[in-house]
Amino acid sequence: MTSMSTTWMRAFPSPTGGEGRALNALSTLLLSVLFLISPALAARAMDIQEVKSPKGITAWLVEDHSVPIVTIRFVFDGGSTQDPAGKEGLANLMTGLFDEGAGDFDSDAFQVKLDDAGAEMGFDAQRDGTYGSMRMLSEQKDAAFDLLTLAVNRPRFDQAPIDRIRAQILSGIVANERDPNAIAQRKWLRAIYGEHPYARPDEGTTQSIATITPDDVRAFYKAGFARDGLHVAVVGDIDAATLKGKLDQVFGDLPQKQALAPVADTALKLGQQVEVNYDLPQTSLQLAFPGVQRNAPDFFAAVLMNEILGGGTFTSRLYDEVREKRGLAYGVDSNLVDHQHSNALIVTTATRSDRAAETLGIVRDVLKKMVEEGPTEAELEATKKYMIGAYAINNLDSSSAIAATLVELQLDKLGIDYMQRRAALIDAVTLDQVKAAAKKLLSVEPAIMIVGPALGGKG
């Protein structure tokens, strides 16, 4: 999901194919202005309806007729973990092609149609899912949904757009081969995930990208675009009856069953130190600990603990000790990272290379204290109030954010009433439970990555 708070996030690569190509100037201006107005929806009680179409497509709908915008967000299970061996980057390449021609319209003609409809359409491949979205003016929703229907059901995957998008991806891969942080990140993923698909670069390699053919793209699309792996959310100026027809139009004729390759769960390979030595003025530090599953009983205890540790931008213990008291870094944070088959708590900072060992030592001291003592009652109560109050600001500040949040709630199987239950779930967490979560997650020896000059000591 998109980051649902600073303390619970999924890691998403950026979409390859540019989200929403050309809009005419008037539609662009109108959509932009209305997008700024839409946060008013978050301030009101949100009525989430479950809509089921005649062909059995289910979506969560939040009607908002105050502004003439409709936003749809959807995801098919799968994502880049489904890239075949030797074809890494296939999912990423495919998602750059859905607005590059569909049905009887080649790339240029489809772009003109999108422009005329005043709609924004985008697709992106993430590790565990292939995401799509469209934002449209409600008065032009018929034309926009027609184009989305073509993109979802009849993508062309023509050779010329494949070659052009491939060239763009290759350019980025080649640039990253000279970037110390990108090199380090690839090494880091291999170290902590081993041979698991999560270790592979989502964008692929120069070798794998070069081998991908139109038939590869079509086969990947056919395996993943099916109704049993579909999750949909819609927000805006559309009613349930109208939406039922649009759901069947866009998704109703897709195959019923996906044909996905199984992906195993995996635990992080901890207790190792990965050093990527470069003569840089600043050293980057990353520490990986076990995470927590979204459906675990101690999930909210872990989230609250992490917020106190390093999730709060200007109020966390790590920020206070590393930045405020010692000025060792501009920023330091910790995040709970969620994937379908693995979870982690990641601590990240960067500091002057001559003070890297000192900074790493301070970070580890803060972690040790959290394990041994846990947070205070005052810290816990303040964090509960913040997390309850900030949810709408962080997750419901636009129609696109609402739609994205609703899709992720579906993926996490949290129920349509989750937003009503969330505050009580947070309030119910006790100090002892948060202390237990700290011991459970932070007591192990982490994996550590150091990017910069070799440390004089091990921290």
Side-chain angles (χ1 to χ4, degrees), residues 55 57 76 225-230 251-257:
K55 291 185 179 180
I57 308 299
F76 292 95
F225 274 53
R227 286 179 287 171
D228 68 331
L230 174 66
F251 305 112
D253 293 331
L254 290 172
Q256 178 60 38
K257 296 289 185 180

Side-chain angles (χ1 to χ4, degrees), residues 86-251:
K87 302 285 185 179
E88 293 82 5
L90 175 55
N92 185 51
L93 174 60
M94 179 190 72
T95 57
L97 297 168
F98 285 99
D99 61 354
E100 294 283 352
D104 295 331
F105 303 114
D106 64 11
S107 179
D108 290 340
F110 193 84
Q111 295 297 328
V112 170
K113 289 290 185 181
L114 268 179
D115 187 27
D116 291 344
E120 295 178 339
M121 185 177 76
F123 287 79
D124 63 282
Q126 301 173 12
R127 284 179 172 174
D128 298 313
T130 301
Y131 286 73
S133 64
M134 179 172 266
R135 193 159 59 110
M136 67 199 79
L137 298 171
S138 54
E139 65 180 13
Q140 295 179 271
K141 64 179 178 293
D142 289 342
F145 273 113
D146 286 348
L147 292 171
L148 184 60
T149 301
L150 286 178
V152 169
N153 292 273
R154 298 175 59 197
R156 290 170 64 109
F157 302 135
D158 292 333
Q159 185 70 59
I162 287 177
D163 290 342
R164 179 160 42 80
I165 299 298
R166 188 203 321 267
Q168 294 173 8
I169 296 171
L170 282 170
S171 178
I173 293 173
V174 170
N176 284 338
E177 288 176 348
R178 300 187 295 269
D179 182 346
N181 287 316
I183 294 168
Q185 190 63 21
R186 289 197 298 270
K187 188 173 181 180
W188 173 246
L189 292 177
R190 287 194 300 270
I192 63 174
Y193 290 123
E195 298 299 317
H196 195 274
Y198 288 159
R200 304 182 310 200
D202 290 334
E203 70 276 13
T205 66
T206 54
Q207 294 81 14
S208 66
I209 287 293
T211 69
I212 294 174
T213 68
D215 285 343
D216 292 327
V217 179
R218 294 185 188 102
F220 191 96
Y221 159 80
K222 183 178 180 180
F225 274 53
R227 286 179 287 171
D228 68 331
L230 174 66
H231 315 270
V232 186
V234 179
V235 178
D237 188 20
I238 188 170
D239 58 48
T242 303
L243 178 58
K244 289 178 182 180
K246 298 303 183 185
L247 291 174
D248 277 348
Q249 174 189 330
V250 177
F251 305 112

Side-chain angles (χ1 to χ4, degrees), residues 12-87:
F12 285 146
S14 299
T16 298
E19 175 148 333
R21 293 297 184 90
L23 289 175
N24 62 58
L26 181 60
S27 294
T28 302
L29 177 62
L30 183 55
L31 276 171
S32 299
V33 171
L34 294 176
F35 188 66
L36 295 175
I37 297 172
S38 59
L41 177 61
R44 306 196 297 270
M46 191 178 300
D47 179 22
I48 306 172
Q49 307 173 58
E50 184 172 271
V51 176
K52 190 168 185 178
S53 74
K55 291 185 179 180
I57 308 299
T58 299
W60 288 6
L61 168 65
V62 175
E63 288 190 46
D64 176 26
H65 302 287
S66 63
V67 290
I69 288 180
V70 178
T71 300
I72 182 170
R73 175 79 166 168
F74 54 92
V75 58
F76 292 95
D77 296 338
S80 64
T81 57
Q82 294 297 308
D83 288 347
K87 302 285 185 179

Side-chain angles (χ1 to χ4, degrees), residues 117 167 282 323 389:
Q282 190 174 63
R323 168 69 190 272

